Structures are given as C-alpha cells and as structure tokens.
Amino acid sequence: MIDSGLAQISRALAAREVSSVELTQEYLARIEKENSNLNAYITVCNELALEQANAADAVRSKGEAGAFTGIPIAHKDLFCTAGIRTSCGSRMLDNFISPYDATVVERFKQAGAVTLGKTNMDEFAMGSSNETSFYGPVKNPWDHSLVPGGSSGGSAAAVAARLCAGATATDTGGSIRQPASFTGLTGLKPTYGRVSRWGMVAFASSLDQAGTLTQSAEDAAMMLNVMAGLDQKDSTCSDVSVDDYTAGLDKPLKGLKIGLPKEHFSEGLNAEVEQCIRDAISEYEKLGASIQEISLPNSHLSVSAYYVIAPAEASANLSRYDAVRYGYRCENPVDLEDMYKRSRSEGFGAEVKRRIMVGTYALSAGYYDAYYRKAQKIRRLIKDDFQQAFEEVDVIIGPTSPHTAFPIGAQNDDPVTMYLEDIYTIAVNLAGLPGMSIPSGLVNGLPVGLQIVGRDFSEAQLLNVAHQFQLATDWHTKTPDNQA
Amino acid sequence: MEWETVIGLEVHVQLATASKLFSGTSTEFGAEPNTQANIYDLAMPGTLPVLNKEALKMAVKFGVAIGAEISTTSVFDRKNYFYPDLPKGYQTSQLDFPIVGKGELVIDMEDGTQKTIGVTRAHMEEDAGKSLHEDYPDKTGIDLNRAGTPLLEIVSEPDLRNAKEAVAYLKKMHSIICYLTISDGDMSQGSMRCDANVSIRQKGSDELGTRTEIKNINSFRYVEKAINIEVERQIDLIEDGGRVVQETRLYDADKNETRSMRSKEVANDYRYFPEPDLLPIVIDTKYIEAIRETLPELPDVKCKRFCEQYGLSEYDALVLTSDHATAGYFEIVTAASGDPKLSANWVMGDLQAILNKDEIAINNSPVSADALAILISRIKDNTISSKIAKTVFEAMVDGEGDADSIIESKGLKQVTDTGAIEAMVDEVIANNPDQVEQYKSGKEQVIGFFVGQIMKASQGKANPGQVNKLLKEKLSN
C-alpha cells in the first residue's frame, strides 16, 4: 500500500482497506531500513506519528474523517514544529526546538495528517544538490552515487523512495522543481503569497514559497487544498480566493495555448533531455493544445539578479542567529564580539557564509545601486517578460533542468556552476509565478522533469495541465525499481 | 569672531499603542524582564511582522496635526546591525519613503516671539530592548520587553539657532503629542527622547559646519545644557585651530560634558533595504481625512481662543494651553466659578506651586477643578478675602475638606458687618494717637499700619474694602 500515491492512500483509508496506524507502521519500518542509506530524514517522529495515526483512526471511526485524515507525510526541516527539532539543515539550529507550529504544519495537523518526520535539506535551503546540509548529503534513490537535487533533496528522496505519502518543501530558486526533476516526482511551487510563510525559516523572504513534492498532480492538488490560503500572521500572504484544486483536474486541454520559451531550448541543454521535452510537447499537442514559440528576452539575467537579491535578503534574515537567545553558541566566548564571530563561523557552513558575505557586500554603502537596486530593476523586467508572454499563451513549458541528476561531489569546487543549476527555474521565483515540474521521460535510466509555469494564482490550471499529461503517460509512475 | 549655532533635532516618541509595532505583545511599562516578549519579539526563526494599525493611525494623526504631507505609499526598511538587545539583527524602520513628509512647528519663545521650525519627516520604527549591565557581574542581561515598541522618529530641519529654541521646539512637540494622545510623553520613562545635531559656523555664512550628534538626551533641562556645553566645546576647538569631527557624542549630566562614543558606532554601514516581509503601506485620502476629523483643538488654536473667550493675556493663555490637562482643568474652574482671570491666577499660581513642589500631575491634583472653583466663588461673593483663601486652599490641599466646610469650621468667614468693623476702627484710632497725628500731617501711607492692626484684631476676617473706606472717613475728621 505504501508504494501508492497520496490520493490512492486517501481512498484506501476512506474505504477502510487500511488504517492510518498500519500505514504509519509500514512507513516507519521502511524509514528504519532505508534512511541510513538515503539520509532523507534528519528527524523521525516515531511516537508522535503513531499517536497521530491512532487519533486519526479514532476520528475516522467516529465518521468525522476528511480527505487527509490519517495520511502520513513529512515536513522539510525548515517548517517549525512545536516540540520537535527544526534544524534547517544547519549546525546553528541543531539544538533548536521550536515553541510553535508553522501555519503549514498547523493546517496539516488540523486536516488530520500524520507527521513521520523532518526531511533533510541544504543548509538554510541554500544549495541545489542537498550537499550543504550539516547532516550530510542526501542520496538519490535512483542511484545512490547521485544527488537528489536541492534544496528540498530530503523531501524528494523521501517521496521517491516511498518513505512518506507526500512531503512539504520550499522553493526559493528551484528548490522544489529541480529535486522533483532529478527524482521523478511532481513538484509544485505555488504563486508567491498563496501559502503562508509563518513558521517557515526564512532564506530569501521575497522569493521563498512553500509547496509540495508528491508522486502525481492529483496528490499535489490534495496537499495544496490543505496548505493554501490567507494567513493574518503573514503580511505577504494573499487574500485571493482559494480554489478546490482537485475539482478541475479532469478538464480537457483542448484549446490550451502553450508557449515554449526559445531561451530554454538553447545552448547548455542536454540533447537527450531536450528530446524528452520535445516528446512531452507532442503529447500535449495530441491532447489538443496548441504550441507556439515565445521569448523571455531577459531570462539570461535571472541567475545574476537572483544571486544579488536572495543573498541580500538572506544576509539580514540570518542575522538573528547571534547565539544570544537560541541556537549554536561557541565554547567559552571571551566577549560579545568573540561570541558573535566564533558562533557564526562555527555554526554556519561554507555556502551559507558565502551567501551572507555576498549579500552583505551587495547592500553595502556605495554598492547598493550597482547591485541591489539594479537587480530589482531586472526583476521587474523579468516579471514584465512573463506578463507579455501570458498575453499570448496560457502556460509556458520547457525543461526544469538542463540535465539529469549529477554525481555527489561533482560540482563542489565551483559555486557558480552550481548556481547555474537553476537557470530555468529562478526567473519564476523572481516573477512570483506558480511553477511545477512533472516527470516526462528517462535518460539513461534517470528521470527528466518538464517545467510548467502559469499566471499568478493559476495553480488549478497548472495542476489540470499536469494531471492530463499524467493520465496520458506513465512517467510519473516510474520508480527506481520499476522503470519499465 | 562671531559664531552662529545650527541645531537640528531628532525626537523619538513612543506611541501609546496597547501592543507592539509588529507583534501583539503588550507595551506596558515596568513589567518583569522578558515577560512581554513573544516569539516574534524574540526573533524566533520563521516569525513574521504584522503592522499595528493603531501605530499607523497615530503617525498619520501627528502628520496631519503639523500640516505635513502624508505619504499614501510608504515603505518599511531593514536597518542592519548586530547588538544583543536587537533580536533580529536589524531594526525595522523607514528610510526613503517615511509615512510623514515635510511639515512645520511654530515654537513660542520666552520673550513672546514665535518662530517657525521646519519638520523634515517623521517615520515609524521599532524600539530595541535593553541591555542590563549592572545586575550581573561579568555578564550582560537582556530585557526584551521594550523590543518592538512603536516609535515615531521626528526629524527637524536645521532651523534652530540656540539651546533655548531647541527647548522651545521640544516643549511644543511634547505639547502636541500629548494633545493628540499619541504618547504619554513621559521623558523620565523614555517615552520621548531626543538626539541633537549641533554645529557652528561664522555668522553670516550659508554653509553648515561639521556637526556632532548628541544621543539620547532625556529631559528638557539636559537638552539645553548639553547643547550649550557642546557649542562651547566646538567654539573652543575651532578657535584653538582645531577641527570638529563628525561623530556621535554622549552627554554626561553629572560632569556636564559631552564625550565621544566609540568611533566604530559612527562607522556603521546599516545596509538599509526594503523589508520584504511587509508590503508597502498604502492609504488613501479618505483614510487621511477621517483621521483629520478626529483631531482635537491644538495648543495654538486653544491659546488664541483663551485670549478671545476669556480675555486672558497672551502670556497667561500660552502657559495654560501648553499642557493639555492644565487647559482642561482651567476650563472647568472657569466655567464653574465664572471668573476667568481669578481662575487663571489660581491655576497658574497657588495650584501650580503645590503641584510642582510635590511633582504631581494636574490630573492627580489633590484639589479638583470643581473644588477650586468653589473656593474662587467664595472670594468673588466676599465670603472670604484673597488672603484667607490661601489659608483655606492649604487646608484643602491637606485634605481637610471642601472650601465651605473649612471656612465654616475654622470660622474664617469675612466680617462685613459695618458696626463691628466700625468698633474695631474706633478702637485702633483711639489706641494709636501718634500714628493719627502722622496721618493728619500728610503721611498717608500710615493707613497701611491701621489696616494691619484691624486685620490683626479681626484675625484677617474684616473686609479690607470696608476697613479702608471707614478708616479714611474717620481719619479725615
């Protein structure tokens, strides 16, 4: 049963074919067996999960169960969970037990979900390979010598290895979509403001967005139904009305206008990956969609702009880790400055320190206009590019990543190569738009992801476009053990 | 050489909201350390700010009151620096787009002249916590109760030319924020603090000299002293061939000197950038107009009305209206006693004296406005003389009862019976032939001696008007 997707599990629970306790026990047993290899979880909540599963079964026996009651999921370890460590993949928060629940966590609790544990991630969500985690790299279930992508690598590996029914994740520059692409999953990054950021440890506040990693679009729709919506605790959370995301999945795609950004099919894109994407495009044509080429002329500037804005915001967001109130504190500080310097030097890893320095520099007197202000102007241009494109087409599709998963350690020497990992995904965050990645083929036995980008708050449409593809193809059902 | 002083003030006003600027925590003063700090105030990971709408309303109210431009779009920024009592490692403030733009303040000088001082801007920001160095040997205690308390920082143009003007500006600012009830204005509790930017230049010069900033001055008196001593220091420095260094200085009241803070503080690069956790604040003119309608009568308007309506001198009106509560007290006394002039004298005189002596706010006066009005009425209806009234007032302050019962129990009622007074006059004249002789020989000031004798004999209760009249009649015979 636990190999099934979240929607199927929901139906099985409703039909009393299985209990939440049985499911939870099965998942915990598999986590016990597999996690030491994969390193997908930082914290496993055995007792809490069984307690919640018992409670869920009790609710169901009283006839009060909802669609999500009793479904075991995992949370990326940057969602605050009351009483459970929230490490953010960092030594800095290795000892941090949150006194409160993130809104996302709270809503899943309310919906009756079971929390299996907290998943590994790049430190403070900074990375594209899950190698910057204080808890060590996560392995790709498709090939343990490869990375699962990042920063939500733990959530991706956990779902891909069927160590949970679905997982929460976050995406600041591609951190949901790229791991989805590398592990053969459906990744959904909603519109900025669709899901509350309250209780989500901040990396770059204007870009961070909570989303999901699941086996299918239908699963993602079920999770978004729980997560989405206004939250008074997050001033940037939108009051745009929330759809029932499962309701519109079956709409036919006839008449859908799809745009292919020519900039996403140029130099640097692996030829076999491109072929998978072209095949997927043909599939969409068969489903009744029309295809046209579009241009996002400023997309080549997106990585540069992103690596000014995100580190700038991060440099301020991470100032609170000063060893005064919680978190890592160095041994025997001699004075305040020593405490600051050594605690932060020892508590943060290399990539986090690099970004804090880049961000601090970009905001410094005399450099602000050349970097931060200019990056914000580029951000505006990129948003305008998309807006113009969406006057002609309904959704934009292309590759999520220029290649398939790469070996652990392959890109450790050159941060810039790593930054270019997110070349197709980053612009979507800068524009605040919703994006998905869905499995669309295999190259040498490794998954390829297709990115779908829509207008602001068009999650229902994106999920519909993804679901119709998944009805017509079976790429999303492939697993490391079953590639046939 | 003749020097001119140039001063600009930054006033921090703690807004009187029930909760903090970005969290729901109470702002009440004096609680146990860290009992008023929630997860946002502690900068727990994942927490986010939500703007307190009351603070916004108060900021706009202030702007409207000083005739300033109100920004329909204003933006919060992060001001980055590390300090243990600044939990987030940045202060959320406003840099380029403050809520209140250019306005002005008319200040009243002691000589009765007025001067208009430009207000550059006012913006909202959060206060930091407190570092407690005294109570913990070799350690620093952190109290975050104050962290996140809403402040309005009001920046003046460099229009002030001496310490007295600076004090007048502060007093007017204090008066206005109290009138608007946007702050309790209590300087001793830090509800109003002031930084002074001070420079000097040769008289007649258009260029500004290098300024120093004196930080965190917390009383009107210290503002005057700190500025004067700093100006003196700068003049001495330049006249000795030195140069003023732009820096932050602290005023030490005990030594009456300013001294340089660490140069590191000055070299801070705050790396401001727009706060991504808050959307720009957008308000419309309807919002602003609705607030304008709630404005109370402000000190300048009230002062003018007091002159016209009550026939008070400009000086009296100014003194009475500079404090909102005093003005209110006076109006109750006047309405009940029907004598504005007497009411003004009593409120500004005897009442103010006992309030000052015991440092009591007029709202907590031991003599209520209604009680004082009754006392004044008894002077007006000749029940007691002004002199006796002082005795009655003292008894009222001591809590011995209301004016009427004190007059009754102490037998202080004025003697107006002509026969009784005449008998006393006759007796005094008979007993003092020498003084009668002096008077008759033209030394008319001797009449004071007779009045004194009679008042003594009557224990102050004889009506002074009647005594004078009778004396003159009898002595002329």
Side-chain angles (χ1 to χ4, degrees):
Chain A
M1 186 72 237
I2 63 171
D3 290 331
S4 310
L6 196 150
Q8 258 174 289
I9 287 174
S10 174
R11 286 188 279 268
L13 281 166
R16 315 275 175 115
E17 289 162 19
V18 66
S19 73
S20 179
V21 169
E22 286 165 341
L23 277 171
T24 302
Q25 281 168 338
E26 264 191 84
Y27 277 120
L28 289 172
R30 189 181 278 175
I31 291 167
E32 173 74 27
K33 193 162 147 262
E34 302 282 345
N35 195 50
S36 53
N37 293 326
L38 290 172
N39 201 20
Y41 282 89
I42 292 173
T43 302
V44 181
C45 311
N46 287 287
E47 278 175 38
L48 173 74
L50 286 169
E51 205 178 286
Q52 289 176 332
N54 263 311
D57 287 337
V59 165
R60 190 170 300 282
S61 67
K62 278 193 273 176
E64 291 165 4
F68 228 95
T69 305
I71 298 181
I73 59 164
H75 290 300
K76 187 176 181 178
D77 205 18
L78 53 54
F79 289 99
C80 285
T81 40
I84 304 169
R85 173 175 60 181
T86 299
S87 75
C88 224
S90 180
R91 183 184 196 188
M92 186 59 88
L93 292 178
D94 183 47
N95 64 1
F96 177 68
I97 293 175
S98 169
Y100 75 108
D101 277 327
T103 296
V104 164
V105 171
E106 171 71 29
R107 287 186 180 173
F108 276 111
K109 265 191 188 172
Q110 293 287 330
V114 171
T115 304
L116 291 167
K118 308 289 293 289
T119 59
N120 205 339
M121 55 183 284
D122 278 300
E123 186 179 9
F124 283 99
M126 298 178 188
S128 306
S129 66
N130 216 120
E131 292 170 286
T132 71
S133 170
F134 173 62
Y135 301 91
V138 176
K139 287 164 189 159
N140 191 323
W142 292 74
D143 178 339
H144 289 196
S145 70
L146 305 180
V147 304
S151 63
S152 310
S155 288
V159 178
R162 311 303 189 233
L163 304 184
C164 59
T168 58
T170 60
D171 190 317
T172 305
S175 283
I176 287 175
R177 289 159 289 159
Q178 185 248 25
S181 167
F182 282 11
T183 57
L185 296 179
T186 298
L188 167 64
K189 179 207 98 75
T191 312
Y192 183 80
R194 178 73 298 174
V195 177
S196 169
R197 291 187 297 115
W198 173 261
M200 215 173 93
V201 181
F203 159 19
S205 311
S206 74
L207 299 158
D208 294 343
Q209 177 60 197
T212 61
L213 280 159
T214 54
Q215 291 185 31
S216 71
E218 189 187 8
D219 295 357
M222 282 186 65
M223 286 188 78
L224 189 60
N225 273 349
V226 176
M227 294 162 78
L230 183 64
D231 179 9
Q232 302 294 350
K233 293 182 198 149
D234 175 2
S235 308
T236 64
C237 197
S238 172
D239 61 359
V240 170
S241 66
V242 173
D243 299 306
D244 176 351
Y245 296 103
T246 52
L249 292 172
D250 292 328
K251 229 177 108 189
L253 297 188
K254 200 165 165 30
L256 181 78
K257 285 185 272 182
I258 295 177
L260 307 181
K262 61 179 182 200
E263 293 81 4
H264 290 193
F265 292 88
S266 58
E267 211 184 333
L269 176 60
N270 174 288
E272 291 163 298
V273 170
E274 177 168 1
Q275 194 50 53
C276 285
I277 303 300
R278 297 280 177 202
D279 292 345
I281 292 162
S282 305
E283 194 61 50
Y284 273 114
E285 279 185 298
K286 279 191 231 159
L287 290 169
S290 65
I291 310 291
Q292 70 182 88
E293 190 181 82
I294 55 150
S295 177
L296 300 170
N298 293 293
S299 60
H300 65 289
L301 300 172
S302 62
V303 173
S304 311
Y306 176 88
Y307 277 99
V308 170
I309 293 168
E313 292 181 6
S315 73
N317 280 333
L318 272 61
S319 291
R320 66 189 57 201
Y321 308 110
D322 58 2
V324 173
R325 300 165 311 285
Y326 53 79
Y328 179 78
R329 184 185 286 182
C330 67
E331 296 281 336
N332 305 316
V334 297
D335 59 16
L336 178 65
E337 197 163 313
D338 184 48
M339 182 175 86
Y340 282 159
K341 281 187 177 166
R342 281 202 291 128
S343 300
R344 287 170 65 83
S345 298
E346 295 163 16
F348 290 137
E351 183 59 29
V352 170
K353 282 186 266 195
R354 179 161 29 241
R355 295 200 196 185
I356 290 173
M357 284 189 277
V358 168
T360 303
Y361 180 81
L363 292 172
S364 298
Y367 298 99
Y368 183 88
D369 287 343
Y371 293 105
Y372 188 81
R373 203 182 294 277
K374 184 159 261 178
Q376 290 293 8
K377 281 185 189 155
I378 292 169
R379 187 174 187 171
R380 183 75 246 168
L381 293 176
I382 286 167
K383 175 99 192 163
D384 291 347
D385 281 357
F386 277 109
Q387 222 141 30
Q388 218 152 14
F390 283 126
E391 280 171 19
E392 294 174 43
V393 299
D394 301 315
V395 294
I396 294 170
I397 67 175
T400 304
S401 171
H403 46 71
T404 55
F406 51 85
I408 291 171
Q411 296 191 6
N412 284 356
D413 300 334
D414 182 6
V416 175
T417 316
M418 190 72 91
Y419 295 168
L420 290 170
E421 269 306 303
D422 299 322
I423 189 156
Y424 304 138
T425 51
I426 267 179
V428 179
N429 298 79
L430 288 170
L433 299 169
M436 289 185 75
S437 178
I438 57 171
S440 63
L442 293 173
V443 168
N444 301 324
L446 293 174
V448 169
L450 175 83
Q451 178 171 240
I452 313 169
V453 181
R455 299 183 182 99
D456 280 336
F457 301 103
S458 67
E459 284 81 1
Q461 182 177 42
L462 288 193
L463 288 161
N464 168 231
V465 169
H467 182 66
Q468 290 304 306
F469 183 82
Q470 291 178 341
L471 287 178
T473 65
D474 61 358
W475 297 115
H476 64 294
T477 65
K478 306 287 186 205
T479 64
D481 303 326
N482 176 23
Q483 301 179 13
Chain B
M1 193 171 293
E2 238 191 304
W3 297 99
E4 181 179 52
T5 305
V6 178
I7 303 160
L9 294 181
E10 290 168 23
V11 181
H12 289 88
V13 173
Q14 183 181 319
L15 296 175
T17 53
S19 59
K20 293 186 177 180
L21 186 53
F22 299 118
S23 80
T25 321
S26 166
T27 51
E28 209 161 317
F29 182 81
E32 282 293 301
N34 297 311
T35 54
Q36 287 174 182
N38 73 3
I39 51 175
Y40 177 78
D41 308 319
L42 287 163
M44 283 286 169
T47 55
L48 296 167
V50 178
L51 176 63
N52 183 332
K53 294 202 168 70
E54 275 307 304
L56 173 66
K57 208 184 269 181
M58 288 179 178
V60 171
K61 199 171 175 186
F62 171 78
V64 172
I66 63 159
E69 301 158 14
I70 307 295
S71 311
T72 47
T73 300
S74 69
V75 177
F76 278 104
D77 296 280
R78 291 183 182 181
K79 178 182 180 180
N80 296 283
Y81 64 97
F82 282 97
Y83 208 71
D85 59 25
L86 185 73
K88 289 177 293 181
Y90 56 83
Q91 178 193 30
T92 306
S93 180
Q94 298 191 298
L95 181 68
D96 290 331
F97 303 98
I99 181 71
V100 176
K102 273 192 187 310
E104 57 187 38
L105 203 66
V106 177
I107 63 170
D108 306 291
M109 303 305 298
E110 278 171 13
D111 63 5
T113 57
Q114 289 191 323
K115 185 172 173 182
T116 301
I117 305 299
V119 171
T120 316
R121 55 180 287 169
H123 67 259
M124 293 176 278
E125 63 182 26
E126 55 182 351
D127 208 345
K130 277 182 187 158
S131 295
L132 311 165
H133 301 287
E134 289 82 15
D135 304 338
Y136 311 91
D138 302 325
K139 285 188 180 141
T140 298
I142 306 290
D143 178 6
L144 295 177
N145 283 355
R146 201 182 64 183
T149 299
L151 299 177
L152 188 66
E153 179 176 331
I154 306 156
V155 182
S156 86
E157 291 288 308
D159 288 347
L160 301 159
R161 289 292 169 268
N162 55 55
K164 285 213 182 308
E165 287 186 3
V167 172
Y169 173 88
L170 273 182
K171 285 193 169 161
K172 193 55 165 284
M173 190 65 80
H174 186 264
S175 170
I176 286 178
I177 60 166
C178 292
Y179 265 70
L180 297 173
T181 61
I182 60 172
S183 174
D184 65 18
D186 189 334
M187 292 183 86
S188 66
Q189 289 184 1
S191 298
M192 187 167 150
R193 311 191 284 270
C194 165
D195 302 340
N197 288 297
V198 179
S199 65
I200 58 165
R201 63 183 173 194
Q202 280 183 39
K203 204 151 199 160
S205 166
D206 290 335
E207 275 174 48
L208 290 170
T210 305
R211 68 189 157 86
T212 58
E213 184 180 13
I214 314 171
K215 279 270 183 206
N216 265 333
I217 324 175
N218 63 359
S219 82
F220 295 128
R221 200 157 59 89
Y222 288 167
V223 165
E224 184 165 357
K225 290 177 86 175
I227 290 173
N228 281 334
I229 206 72
E230 175 60 14
V231 168
E232 215 172 282
R233 186 190 72 87
Q234 291 188 11
I235 290 173
D236 287 349
L237 193 63
I238 293 176
E239 289 188 343
D240 289 346
R243 215 163 45 83
V244 175
V245 183
Q246 186 170 341
E247 62 180 354
T248 306
R249 299 182 71 84
L250 270 184
Y251 176 66
D252 182 334
D254 294 335
K255 295 182 182 157
N256 191 32
E257 63 176 29
T258 67
R259 61 168 176 271
S260 181
M261 286 170 75
R262 287 176 301 146
S263 56
K264 224 180 247 176
E265 300 272 339
V266 185
N268 250 337
D269 175 359
Y270 291 119
R271 307 188 309 280
Y272 279 98
F273 74 102
E275 163 61 280
D277 285 333
L278 291 165
L279 301 173
I281 310 157
V282 179
I283 52 176
D284 54 19
T285 47
K286 233 171 88 186
Y287 174 89
I288 299 167
E289 288 317 307
I291 289 175
R292 197 188 301 280
E293 275 169 30
T294 68
L295 280 189
E297 183 184 36
L298 290 166
D300 287 346
V301 177
K302 202 184 277 282
C303 180
K304 208 166 156 231
R305 177 169 67 80
F306 274 24
C307 291
E308 286 164 5
Q309 183 178 344
Y310 301 123
L312 297 180
S313 75
E314 221 167 285
Y315 176 81
D316 287 359
L318 193 62
V319 171
L320 287 169
T321 56
S322 70
D323 175 57
H324 185 237
T326 306
Y329 187 102
F330 164 78
E331 291 212 87
I332 297 172
V333 177
T334 298
S337 73
D339 191 326
K341 186 62 199 160
L342 259 185
S343 299
N345 288 347
W346 273 90
V347 172
M348 293 162 59
D350 295 73
L351 177 73
Q352 201 58 53
I354 62 117
L355 295 178
N356 287 350
K357 187 169 129 271
D358 297 330
E359 291 183 11
I360 302 169
I362 195 160
N363 287 334
N364 302 324
S365 168
V367 178
S368 73
D370 289 323
L372 182 59
I374 291 170
L375 177 66
I376 291 169
S377 302
R378 293 300 162 264
I379 301 169
K380 273 194 72 180
D381 65 14
N382 283 332
T383 307
I384 52 173
S385 67
S386 294
K387 189 141 179 261
I388 289 290
K390 288 182 194 291
T391 311
V392 177
F393 181 71
E394 272 164 36
M396 288 165 72
V397 171
D398 292 341
E400 292 176 29
D402 61 34
D404 286 333
S405 64
I406 291 168
I407 292 166
E408 186 63 41
S409 67
K410 299 198 171 198
L412 296 174
K413 204 165 172 189
Q414 190 159 247
V415 178
T416 49
D417 172 358
T418 315
I421 293 174
E422 195 170 354
M424 285 188 268
V425 169
D426 288 343
E427 195 183 336
V428 169
I429 288 174
N431 289 345
N432 296 286
D434 291 353
Q435 281 78 2
V436 173
E437 211 44 50
Q438 283 175 24
Y439 182 86
K440 288 193 168 166
S441 66
K443 204 174 170 190
E444 286 188 3
Q445 58 267 46
V446 179
I447 195 143
F449 166 80
F450 291 108
V451 173
Q453 290 295 311
I454 292 161
M455 293 314 277
K456 201 169 154 194
S458 72
Q459 289 169 312
K461 290 182 287 185
N463 183 309
Q466 281 175 295
V467 171
N468 262 303
K469 190 163 165 266
L470 275 170
L471 266 172
K472 280 182 183 162
E473 279 172 21
K474 304 233 171 202
L475 287 169
S476 320
N477 293 336

